Amino acid sequence: MPGMRTQVGIVGAGPAGLMLSHLLHLRGIESVVLESRSRDHVEHRLRAGVLEQGSVDLLCRSGVGERLQREGLRHEGIELRFAGESHRVPMADLTGRAITVYGQQEVVKDLIAARLAAGGSILFEADAVRLDGLDSDSPIVHFRRDGRDEELHCDFVAGCDGFHGVSRGAVPDGVLTTYERTYPFAWLGVLAAAPPAVEELIYANHERGFALYSMRSPEISRLYLQVAPDEDIAAWPDERIWAELRARLETVPGWSLNEGPILEKSITPMRSFVVEPMRWERLFLAGDAVHIVPPTGAKGMNLALADVALLGDAFAAWYDGGRTDLLETYSAKALRRVWRAQHFSWWMTSMLHRLERDDPYESKLQTATLRYVATSEAYARSLSENYVGLPEV
Ligand code: APR
Ligand code: PHB
């Protein structure tokens, strides 16, 4: 059976796997990335788009931030709309940090370009099917490519293959503990060829359901609507989407959104999910493979990058001088940030969405919470420091 060898075998070419491969390369450590989809698919898959300050710093510091700095949109605040009111949270004033709006697929494109320019090995349309020997010093990733079975032999495996990947399932029964919550709603997301009517994101709590106004560039808007979890996208022709967005967002006198052709639309379920620990023997799990957050806190891509920043340091310490301490503390350290983001994402989600059954008590609590953010500098700072990302957790 054809086999190859590397130091770190990485499953998945999302932000986690690609960034890890890049960081390892900078430390002189070899890796091979296996990705089941095509390059075109991963470069055009529409995903999240908010980078915390720490993520921007990591991308820039490691030499892949050039286009991000040119094209990314720096935002110093967000707007909250509720009960017919509008309130700006001045995040940069409150924390000294900001966020940058830059699509996840752009981060993926930049990382792929950097890895390939440096002679890095990313095998597209290579589907990892099974991990073996994780408790030995030479694990193997079995994968299929062009209809053939192949093997990747390595010192360590990094499972960066997202929620539906194979890596998490390679851990023996009884080792991992799962924590999860599903929500009784989903998001319908659209990408529209319409110049954003605002400079900052708007998070709207409305009796018809949550809405979010985001963007990708001065020409492209990204908008989301809370819908039922089993909603059929066919029931949402473009005119219905715009009517619903107008109803939920045009709640401030004199303000209206800009409409334009809808380029893409899809429905995403919402869940919170964590498995612990993030390591078993020579398998290290990172990103969506081990934790999912609802998108309301804009944390998914940032957590994936934060995980692999720790992993990069841990592998470097091992290859430099055989140090195992950072490999051993990886899971516990990463999980502190993961749980902070779990709480923040759950909190934002609970504050902003219409809950399953109309519960007037819950809805009064939501308004009270939003009003507290709007009037208390301490509370607004708490939201802001979580949103822009905490340097230490
Ligand atoms: N073999 C090879 N590749 C696989 C396999 C497999 N068996 N299973 C999944 N993959 C690939 C997927 O095709 C995907 O490209 O793993 C990659 C995982 O990437 P992401 O899903 O982007 O996950 P991650 O890198 O952890 O980034 C998390 O993605 O879903 C968003 O909101 C989330 O922003 C967050 C980010
Ligand atoms: C996005 O622009 O895709 C986006 C922004 C903020 C979120 C989620 C998604 O909370």
Side-chain angles (χ1 to χ4, degrees), residues 47-50 101 187 201 203 212 214-216 222 224 295-299 387:
R47 292 274 184 87
V50 171
V101 175
W187 278 15
L201 273 56
Y203 287 81
L212 170 60
S214 181
M215 62 207 65
R216 283 294 175 273
R222 179 85 172 121
Y224 298 94
T296 330
K299 289 284 155 253
Y387 196 87

Side-chain angles (χ1 to χ4, degrees), residues 52 65 79 82 88 90 105 111 113 158 166 172 268 293 305 318 339 343 346 364 370 372 388:
E52 294 175 354
E79 192 175 326
F82 60 97
R88 177 172 188 262
Q105 76 272 32
L111 286 168
V166 292
T268 319
V293 280
L305 294 172
W318 194 85
W339 278 108
H343 172 261
W346 164 85
K364 291 280 186 194
L370 283 157
Y372 190 32
V388 300

Side-chain angles (χ1 to χ4, degrees), residues 124-329:
F124 292 100
E125 298 175 73
D127 195 21
V129 288
R130 191 162 55 86
L131 313 183
D132 246 1
L134 293 167
D135 52 355
S136 75
D137 57 11
S138 185
I140 304 171
V141 184
H142 298 267
F143 64 100
R144 275 189 78 75
R145 188 165 57 141
D146 294 333
R148 294 198 313 163
D149 292 320
E150 297 186 52
E151 291 180 353
L152 174 64
H153 295 246
C154 35
D155 300 331
F156 297 98
V157 180
C160 303
D161 47 354
F163 184 69
H164 300 287
V166 292
S167 300
R168 193 176 65 243
V171 178
D173 288 350
V175 172
L176 300 178
T177 306
T178 303
Y179 302 86
E180 66 189 317
R181 170 153 306 186
T182 52
Y183 299 87
F185 37 79
W187 278 15
L188 188 167
V190 303
L191 192 69
V198 281
E199 290 190 347
E200 294 177 338
L201 273 56
I202 304 174
Y203 287 81
N205 168 302
H206 192 275
E207 61 196 14
R208 299 178 66 87
F210 170 73
L212 170 60
Y213 204 144
S214 181
M215 62 207 65
R216 283 294 175 273
S217 73
E219 296 82 38
I220 303 284
S221 300
R222 179 85 172 121
L223 303 120
Y224 298 94
L225 285 168
Q226 175 186 353
V227 294
D230 53 357
E231 194 73 50
D232 179 5
I233 193 96
W236 288 86
D238 295 2
E239 191 33 57
R240 181 176 177 204
I241 293 175
W242 287 118
E244 198 58 41
L245 285 166
R246 284 195 300 269
R248 298 186 195 183
L249 285 161
E250 291 183 350
T251 54
V252 176
W255 187 89
S256 61
L257 45 79
N258 292 336
E259 298 182 22
I262 289 185
L263 308 172
E264 269 189 69
K265 54 182 155 183
S266 62
I267 292 183
T268 319
M270 307 267 278
R271 67 159 66 82
S272 296
F273 169 86
V274 184
V275 302
E276 296 188 8
M278 290 167 60
R279 172 207 182 168
W280 184 70
E281 302 288 346
R282 289 204 171 212
L283 171 66
F284 290 81
L285 297 160
D288 273 20
V290 260
H291 43 73
I292 303 278
V293 280
T296 330
K299 289 284 155 253
M301 172 167 43
N302 297 293
L303 284 179
L305 294 172
D307 286 352
V308 299
L310 291 177
L311 261 190
D313 289 345
F315 285 131
W318 194 85
Y319 282 105
D320 280 350
R323 268 175 58 194
T324 56
D325 56 329
L326 297 186
L327 290 174
E328 267 144 31
T329 53

Side-chain angles (χ1 to χ4, degrees), residues 20 26 89 253 337:
L20 178 61
L26 298 178
V89 182
R337 176 173 297 277

Side-chain angles (χ1 to χ4, degrees), residues 336-347:
R336 291 168 66 105
R337 176 173 297 277
V338 167
W339 278 108
R340 175 87 306 279
Q342 286 287 332
H343 172 261
F344 177 65
S345 306
W346 164 85
W347 178 76

